[in-house]
């Protein structure tokens, strides 16, 4: 326990302070606490269960998923939150892989209507990185079709890594979430995680939809002082009555014709209409700066990109809301980009000459804005990834930070504002790195069995990589680790050789696979290689931990003799 030196001292607001405990990030009922974005997500089920009890509901919570950057340690944060408040029924059950975890969360929504249920409902939370979302789409779609229960709710926590800082490929999950009919909340910072999390639960319960929260690395790993209170978030439940529809959704997993088509109709009409009503009643998307009729340009951004947009304006000399308004700039903070809020967008665009959409990767938001304004009179020119001449404007690759937003924003503003903008910074002097006598590429930890497990026989040996620490072999000398032909997705290790083998002279392939990946999904890849009759050697690199996401024990792990027995059984029919 960490406490302050003087428990009777006053804090910076003049209020009497109290003993501060690290567990306050999960348990404090009011005041200010310090936490990371991941810890803020872990606080959500505790805060929701407390609010439910205050409202006379006897509910529980359940979390399952598979860790991955930027949500690599969230399973540990969930476990610590559950341990901090043992009187609240919060079950944390890490999944063997993401799709099985999604199915487990689906099961939580079926509890409330069971005659032997212990609780009025169960709040279900799924967590995983963007690649985990991709592989879980079928499982999640089943859950979305079945729907969320009235006193439960289902939340999908997606860790996006647009800069591929800890991923094989960069990611942006917007279009996948759109296709899955998942309303998507996109927090800008840690405070937003706390506030929007409660809305995600409330919307799921009120509409019967599963909802999602998109979390990027600066938010998940970021930290800050957050105002907390069980009843801080002002939630408004509008009139949800729709003629011909029940007053609230009852989960239905009987997904066979014709019922499955009726379920789809319910999603696209009743449940989606209720989502739009919730968005409008709670004003989730906000025009945060408005010069009124003097506005000539509008800047729209969502989630953490909005924070980067504000930093970009600061660098241009527009620091305060007053300075931004005085420049004729209207600012639109979209905290829930999906489903798209047409009404507030049209309100934002009223009277503007041009509208700039600032978003990462694909022009998803930009296309929605253009569609919303297409049939309006005197609508503004809308630009985003390209300007009105078709020239590139905002980058469509990599992360979108203030460094990359500022030059494009300057181009749009200087024509009208001229010398009012801060001058560009002087070009940085070319920096010469101090020469090093030794250059060292990333390598395995001392004592890790991967140091010797990745060695190969002499000769031109083809090696397959995969997700895990052993991926670093790509940067290591070929004479030690062989000719690495690339990295597969998690669980695809070795399947690439099935497609290569008939068309190359070499007759043998060695595939590295981590023990965590083997338990997650790699065992099926071994079975696929056996079924295809390929000449392949699997090197199962056993180090007893999921090292790249926080050092957790692999879910469903087996000792080496048991793994050997499993593999023998998979080969026994040959």
């Amino acid at each position: 326990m960490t406490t302050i030196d003087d428990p009777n001292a006053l804090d910076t607001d003049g209020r009497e302070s109290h003993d501060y405990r690290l567990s306050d990030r999960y348990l404090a009922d009011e005041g200010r606490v310090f936490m990371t974005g991941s810890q803020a997500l872990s606080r959500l089920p505790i805060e929701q269960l407390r609010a439910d009890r205050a409202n006379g509901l006897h509910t529980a919570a359940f979390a399952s998923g598979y860790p991955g950057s930027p949500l690599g340690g969230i399973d540990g944060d969930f476990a610590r939150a559950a341990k901090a408040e043992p009187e609240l029924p919060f079950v944390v059950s890490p999944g063997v892989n993401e799709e099985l975890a999604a199915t487990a969360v689906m099961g939580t929504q079926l509890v409330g209507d069971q005659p032997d249920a212990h609780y009025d409902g169960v709040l279900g939370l799924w967590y995983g990185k963007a690649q985990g979302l991709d592989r879980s789409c079928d499982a999640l779609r089943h859950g979305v079709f079945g729907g969320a229960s009235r006193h439960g709710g289902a939340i999908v926590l997606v860790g996006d890594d647009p800069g591929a800082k800890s991923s094989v490929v960069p990611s942006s999950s917007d279009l996948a979430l759109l296709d899955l009919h998942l309303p998507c909340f996109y927090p800008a910072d840690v405070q937003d995680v706390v506030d929007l999390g409660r809305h995600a639960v409330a919307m799921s319960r009120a509409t019967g939809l599963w909802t999602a929260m998109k979390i990027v690395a600066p938010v998940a790993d970021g930290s800050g002082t957050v105002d907390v209170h069980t009843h801080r978030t002002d939630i408004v439940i509008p009139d949800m009555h729709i003629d011909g529809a029940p007053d609230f959704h009852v989960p239905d997993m009987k997904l066979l014709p014709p019922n499955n088509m009726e379920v789809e109709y319910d999603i696209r009409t009743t449940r989606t209409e209720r989502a739009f009503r919730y968005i409008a009643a709670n004003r989730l998307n906000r025009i945060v700066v408005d010069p009124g009729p003097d506005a000539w340009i509008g800047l729209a951004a969502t989630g953490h990109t909005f924070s980067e947009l504000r930093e970009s304006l600061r660098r241009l000399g527009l620091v305060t809301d007053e300075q931004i308004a005085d420049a004729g700039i209207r600012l639109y903070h979209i905290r829930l980009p999906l489903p798209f809020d047409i009404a507030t967008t049209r309100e934002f665009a009223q009277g503007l000459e041009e509208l700039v959409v600032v978003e990462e990767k694909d022009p998803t938001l930009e296309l929605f804005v253009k569609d919303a304004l297409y049939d309006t009179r005197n609508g503004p020119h809308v630009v985003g990834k390209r300007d009105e001449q078709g020239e590139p404007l905002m980058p469509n690759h990599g992360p979108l930070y203030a460094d990359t937003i500022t030059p494009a924003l300057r181009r749009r503003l200087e024509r009208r504002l001229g010398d009012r903008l801060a001058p560009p910074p002087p070009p940085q002097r070319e920096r010469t790195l101090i020469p090093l006598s030794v250059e060292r590429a990333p390598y395995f930890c001392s004592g890790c069995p991967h140091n010797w497990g990745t060695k190969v026989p002499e000769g031109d040996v083809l090696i397959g990589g995969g997700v895990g620490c052993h991926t670093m072999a790509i940067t290591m000398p070929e004479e030690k680790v062989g000719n690495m032909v690339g990295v597969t997705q998690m669980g695809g290790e070795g399947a690439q050789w099935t497609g290569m083998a008939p068309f190359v002279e070499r007759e043998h392939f060695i595939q590295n696979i981590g023990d965590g990946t083997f338990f997650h999904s790699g065992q099926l890849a071994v079975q696929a290689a056996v079924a295809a009759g390929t000449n392949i050697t699997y090197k199962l690199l056993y180090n007893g931990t999921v090292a790249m996401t926080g050092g957790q024990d692999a879910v469903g792990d087996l000792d080496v003799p048991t793994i050997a027995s499993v593999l023998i059984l998979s080969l026994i029919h040959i």
Side-chain angles (χ1 to χ4, degrees):
M1 180 182 75
T2 300
T3 63
I4 59 175
D5 293 331
D6 181 6
N8 296 315
L10 297 179
D11 64 17
T12 55
D13 291 331
R15 297 175 299 182
E16 186 175 313
S17 62
H18 64 287
D19 286 353
Y20 184 83
R21 297 170 174 80
L22 293 179
S23 59
D24 282 354
R25 63 188 60 159
Y26 307 120
L27 303 181
D29 192 42
E30 61 180 346
R32 290 181 177 173
V33 294
F34 187 81
M35 66 178 74
T36 67
S38 180
Q39 290 163 349
L41 291 170
S42 303
R43 175 188 168 85
L44 173 60
I46 300 298
E47 189 172 299
Q48 185 63 55
L49 294 183
R50 285 179 165 180
D52 287 345
R53 274 149 182 72
N55 292 325
L57 288 175
H58 187 51
T59 56
F62 176 89
S64 187
Y66 196 86
S69 179
L71 298 178
I74 194 170
D75 52 347
D77 284 321
F78 274 135
R80 283 183 283 274
K83 184 178 180 180
E85 184 58 285
E87 294 183 3
L88 291 177
F90 178 23
V91 176
V92 182
S93 179
V96 169
N97 58 39
E98 295 89 346
E99 59 264 43
L100 293 176
T103 306
V105 172
M106 180 189 74
T108 65
Q109 302 310 293
L110 304 177
V111 170
D113 291 320
Q114 301 305 312
D116 57 346
H118 299 302
Y119 300 97
D120 298 324
V122 180
L123 169 62
L125 302 111
W126 178 94
Y127 56 86
K129 68 189 303 179
Q131 286 78 5
L133 174 74
D134 290 342
R135 70 171 295 127
S136 302
C137 280
D138 188 31
L140 289 169
R141 195 182 304 277
H142 277 72
V144 168
F145 262 61
S149 64
R150 183 185 187 188
H151 299 312
I155 317 299
V156 173
L157 306 176
V158 182
D160 254 357
D161 190 5
K165 290 184 176 180
S166 185
S167 304
V168 175
V169 293
S171 59
S172 179
S173 298
D174 303 55
L175 290 175
L177 296 173
L178 173 66
D179 184 59
L180 289 170
H181 308 288
L182 281 166
C184 175
F185 293 82
Y186 188 2
D189 51 32
V190 182
Q191 183 70 66
D192 244 6
V193 172
V194 172
D195 295 342
L196 292 181
R198 292 292 302 281
H199 277 296
V201 177
M203 175 186 274
S204 180
R205 291 177 172 183
T207 64
L209 291 167
W210 287 37
T211 59
M213 295 184 73
K214 174 177 171 175
I215 310 293
V216 292
V219 175
D221 300 334
S223 58
T225 303
V226 177
D227 291 321
V228 297
H229 194 290
T230 300
H231 302 290
R232 167 186 161 83
T233 306
D234 186 17
I235 294 173
V236 178
I237 304 298
D239 176 21
M240 293 294 191
H241 178 72
I242 297 176
D243 288 342
D247 289 338
F248 55 87
H249 180 73
V250 176
D252 182 359
M253 292 305 303
K254 300 179 181 67
L255 300 178
L256 289 174
N259 191 54
N260 51 3
M261 302 307 298
E262 294 172 1
V263 171
E264 183 195 33
Y265 177 82
D266 178 63
I267 290 175
R268 293 182 179 272
T269 55
T270 302
R271 284 190 256 174
T272 299
E273 169 59 26
R274 286 172 173 165
F276 281 124
R277 293 184 187 184
Y278 187 95
I279 294 168
N282 289 276
R283 299 291 291 179
L284 292 172
N285 302 313
R286 301 170 177 173
I287 301 171
V288 295
V289 175
D290 187 6
D294 294 329
W296 64 277
I297 188 171
L299 308 178
T302 185
H304 182 71
T305 308
F306 182 81
S307 300
E308 296 294 334
L309 172 62
R310 292 298 299 250
E311 170 61 18
S312 182
L313 288 169
R314 187 194 68 78
R315 295 184 184 185
L316 292 171
L318 304 173
V319 180
T320 65
D321 287 357
E322 290 75 17
Q323 290 173 321
I324 295 170
D326 189 53
I329 300 171
R330 189 178 290 160
L331 278 188
Y332 186 21
H333 183 190
I334 303 174
R335 302 196 298 167
L336 191 142
L338 302 172
F340 187 70
D341 186 350
I342 295 175
T344 308
T345 301
R346 288 181 173 176
E347 177 187 345
F348 168 71
Q350 192 106 28
L352 296 177
E353 298 174 19
E354 60 181 280
L355 194 161
V356 182
V357 180
V358 185
E359 61 181 324
E360 291 173 333
K361 307 297 185 187
D362 297 312
T364 308
L365 189 63
E366 180 184 346
L367 294 175
F368 277 128
V369 170
K370 289 177 177 178
D371 182 65
L373 303 180
Y374 179 75
D375 59 352
T376 58
R377 296 182 60 186
N378 302 318
H381 293 292
V382 179
V383 297
K385 296 304 173 187
R386 295 185 178 273
D387 63 18
E388 53 268 55
Q389 278 78 45
E391 296 298 319
L393 185 61
M394 294 291 171
N396 63 358
H397 53 86
L400 203 56
Y401 294 144
D403 287 344
T404 48
I405 295 172
T406 303
L409 194 57
R410 182 183 294 277
R411 285 167 51 191
R412 305 308 301 184
L413 297 179
E414 64 184 357
R415 295 175 298 173
R416 186 80 166 248
L417 300 180
D419 295 338
R420 295 179 60 177
L421 299 180
Q428 289 190 345
R429 188 175 49 141
E430 185 177 351
R431 299 176 181 178
T432 304
L433 296 177
I434 300 173
L436 298 175
S437 58
V438 178
E439 292 186 3
R440 187 178 185 277
Y443 212 80
F444 303 123
C445 298
S446 299
C448 179
H450 291 358
N451 282 291
W452 52 264
T454 53
K455 292 181 179 180
V456 295
E458 292 183 2
D460 186 13
V461 182
L462 278 178
I463 304 293
V467 175
C469 295
H470 61 89
T471 307
M472 288 189 288
I474 291 176
T475 67
M476 298 174 188
E478 187 173 316
E479 60 269 18
K480 290 187 177 181
V481 297
N483 176 13
M484 298 285 293
V485 295
V487 177
T488 71
Q489 84 281 10
M490 198 170 188
E493 288 83 354
Q496 72 273 37
W497 180 240
T498 301
M500 294 174 63
F503 311 107
V504 297
E505 289 294 327
R506 278 168 292 195
E507 298 179 350
H508 182 238
F509 190 79
I510 296 177
Q511 175 67 54
N512 294 328
I513 182 171
D515 53 342
T517 296
F518 181 80
F519 303 130
H520 173 275
S521 52
Q523 183 176 341
L524 192 59
V526 176
Q527 292 178 240
V530 172
T534 53
N535 185 14
I536 182 171
T537 298
Y538 277 93
K539 296 175 73 173
L540 205 161
L541 305 172
Y542 193 99
N543 67 349
T545 186
V546 185
M548 296 194 77
T549 62
Q552 303 95 329
D553 293 334
V555 178
D557 60 334
L558 305 171
D559 58 25
V560 173
T562 305
I563 293 175
S565 299
V566 170
L567 291 173
I568 290 171
L569 288 173
S570 70
L571 296 168
I572 202 167
H573 71 278
I574 294 179

